[in-house]
Amino acid sequence: MGMTVREKKNRVRLQEKKPLAYEKIIKHPEKIKNKECVALIQLQYRYDCNFKCKHCAIEKFKKKDERLLSIADVKRIADQADAMGLASICISGGEPLIFPDLKDVVDAIGPARFVISMDTNGWLLSEEKIKWLVEIGVDRIHLSIDGLEYNHNMFRGVKGSWKKCIEALKYCNEYGLGVIINIVATKSLINSGELIKQLDYISQFGEHASIIYAKPTGAFQDYKDEILDTKDIEYIQSLQGKYNISTHLSANCGHEFGCLCIKRHFSITAYGDVLPCPWIPISIGNIFNEDLETVVKRGLGMKWFSYDNKYSCQCGNRDSFFYQNILPQVDKSDTYPADWKKINWF
């Protein structure tokens, strides 16, 4: 399976705009062959936010009173990731656009050597802010749009937030800021038919959408009836031929990963904990105590996250063994995230 047309175009643009990042990415097939990490790092720099979203995965982190990442820590993480041949870092939170030192974070990562993306709820995406993001070296935003106007506003808890997102799309296109529209897929969104209505609506903008399966973590822990099952996931996968979308389980640049954890995606919390993904609150190590490569190799050595297993999305499928037997242990843990050494991995 080869790259999609969209992926090929992105490669061409990257080669022209960021040759240092491009040189790392074209070496990824060899790293994959050697069962090495080629992950995008989601860096949860701070948890300050101007929204209180219904499904927020990091709600429980906000009360944690421990050492936070500094700009120097961000640079050290980026230096280690660069040495590992990793090429993509996503600045997350919280809401990055309210971080007073966002430019310092971008500078510490190093725009020349990384594809830099940013998660955002879109509320502060004015024309001037979009121009500024491009100027400081941000390549792409992951813009959260969950449903059509009424449901999005209800899900996000802020009236007018859907309109802000839609208005921002034209400016992103005008100033060359890449966009991936993030859509959290719940059972309600599928069963009501609104997912299809939303995909039909956003198709006019020509932007790629990432369908994110809802997870029973953080603020969404009590909404387990909204978590997808195998049938729901198969249905969403079947939409890929009709719509410009991808999911956790889609092929990436021609490579089939199954679950993306550690191999293609992992997170670092504002307190230095390395998580297999943003929605599995289990720390497999902390960058304040170990170097990044040591922690990542540990993760790749775990059967659930290794290349030798092509599991489905493990925490977004209520039918999975991981969902039913491993995630419940987090609820009983005396720490959050849970310590990997205290988990029964079966």
Side-chain angles (χ1 to χ4, degrees):
M1 181 182 296
M3 290 191 291
T4 65
V5 173
R6 180 181 69 89
E7 289 170 334
K8 289 178 181 177
K9 288 181 178 178
N10 287 342
R11 283 286 176 90
V12 171
R13 284 194 293 267
L14 183 63
Q15 185 177 15
E16 296 173 350
K17 185 179 179 182
K18 294 191 172 182
L20 295 179
Y22 174 80
E23 287 300 319
K24 288 187 287 186
I25 286 178
I26 61 174
K27 294 176 182 177
H28 280 184
E30 185 65 24
K31 291 174 70 65
I32 293 169
K33 182 179 178 180
N34 294 331
K35 299 182 179 180
E36 298 175 25
C37 174
V38 292
L40 174 149
I41 302 173
Q42 189 217 36
L43 185 65
Q44 300 173 2
Y45 179 65
R46 288 288 183 273
Y47 297 126
D48 303 326
C49 193
N50 52 343
F51 279 18
K52 195 174 180 65
C53 300
K54 186 176 180 180
H55 67 297
C56 181
I58 51 81
E59 183 68 25
K60 286 190 174 182
F61 290 124
K62 295 180 181 180
K63 298 178 182 179
K64 194 171 181 180
D65 185 20
E66 294 184 10
R67 173 186 171 185
L68 289 163
L69 294 174
S70 67
I71 294 299
D73 293 323
V74 172
K75 186 178 186 308
R76 181 165 54 85
I77 291 168
D79 288 346
Q80 292 180 14
D82 187 40
M84 292 168 63
L86 303 183
S88 302
I89 295 180
C90 176
I91 302 167
S92 190
E95 171 52 53
L97 286 177
I98 70 171
F99 300 165
D101 54 354
L102 179 57
K103 184 179 185 302
D104 294 332
V105 175
V106 173
D107 289 343
I109 293 170
R113 58 181 179 166
F114 285 98
V115 177
I116 299 179
S117 55
M118 187 188 78
D119 291 331
T120 180
N121 57 41
W123 185 256
L124 298 175
L125 276 178
S126 64
E127 180 179 4
E128 288 304 312
K129 187 66 72 173
I130 289 168
K131 289 170 62 178
W132 177 75
L133 288 173
V134 173
E135 289 169 2
I136 67 173
V138 174
D139 300 287
R140 182 180 69 237
I141 58 169
H142 300 159
L143 180 61
S144 297
I145 306 179
D146 297 303
L148 296 176
E149 186 167 10
Y150 175 79
N151 280 335
H152 171 91
N153 290 345
M154 181 178 63
F155 206 53
R156 295 283 158 183
V158 179
K159 186 177 180 179
S161 60
W162 183 85
K163 185 178 179 181
K164 288 267 191 178
C165 290
I166 298 303
E167 290 175 346
L169 290 173
K170 66 177 181 180
Y171 294 121
C172 291
N173 182 63
E174 182 176 347
Y175 295 108
L177 182 62
V179 177
I180 291 181
I181 296 174
N182 281 353
I183 302 172
V184 176
T186 62
K187 272 192 169 289
S188 294
L189 196 69
I190 293 174
N191 293 340
S192 67
E194 181 148 353
L195 175 61
I196 294 299
K197 292 177 182 177
Q198 183 185 7
L199 293 177
D200 285 335
Y201 179 82
I202 65 173
S203 64
Q204 66 184 292
F205 302 105
E207 304 292 1
H208 186 78
S210 174
I211 310 296
I212 299 172
Y213 310 145
K215 316 294 193 307
T217 57
F220 217 54
Q221 186 174 353
D222 296 329
Y223 293 89
K224 291 183 172 61
D225 56 338
E226 288 286 6
I227 307 304
L228 309 184
D229 56 30
T230 300
K231 184 178 179 180
D232 297 323
I233 289 174
E234 289 174 348
Y235 168 70
I236 292 175
Q237 293 299 111
S238 74
L239 300 177
Q240 292 182 99
K242 180 177 180 181
Y243 296 100
N244 182 17
I245 64 171
S246 60
T247 74
H248 301 306
L249 303 177
S250 299
N252 192 277
C253 292
H255 300 283
E256 297 276 0
F257 292 95
C259 172
L260 299 177
C261 287
I262 306 296
K263 302 185 286 290
R264 191 69 184 93
H265 193 173
F266 65 84
S267 297
I268 301 177
T269 74
Y271 308 100
D273 290 305
V274 179
L275 312 181
C277 82
W279 306 284
I280 298 180
I282 299 173
S283 175
I284 60 171
N286 190 293
I287 58 91
F288 293 149
N289 305 321
E290 300 175 283
D291 64 84
L292 185 61
E293 186 170 14
T294 297
V295 179
V296 167
K297 284 183 176 179
R298 176 183 299 128
L300 287 174
M302 296 176 175
K303 72 172 186 176
W304 297 101
F305 313 130
S306 76
Y307 274 94
D308 295 330
N309 292 298
K310 302 290 186 181
Y311 294 105
S312 176
C313 179
Q314 303 187 70
C315 57
N317 182 347
R318 66 197 306 170
D319 295 332
S320 75
F321 183 92
F322 194 98
Y323 179 97
Q324 295 178 5
N325 295 278
I326 296 180
L327 277 187
Q329 296 180 56
V330 175
D331 297 337
K332 301 175 183 178
S333 173
D334 57 357
T335 61
Y336 195 92
D339 185 336
W340 71 274
K341 296 186 292 297
K342 297 181 179 180
I343 296 293
N344 178 3
W345 294 99
F346 297 91

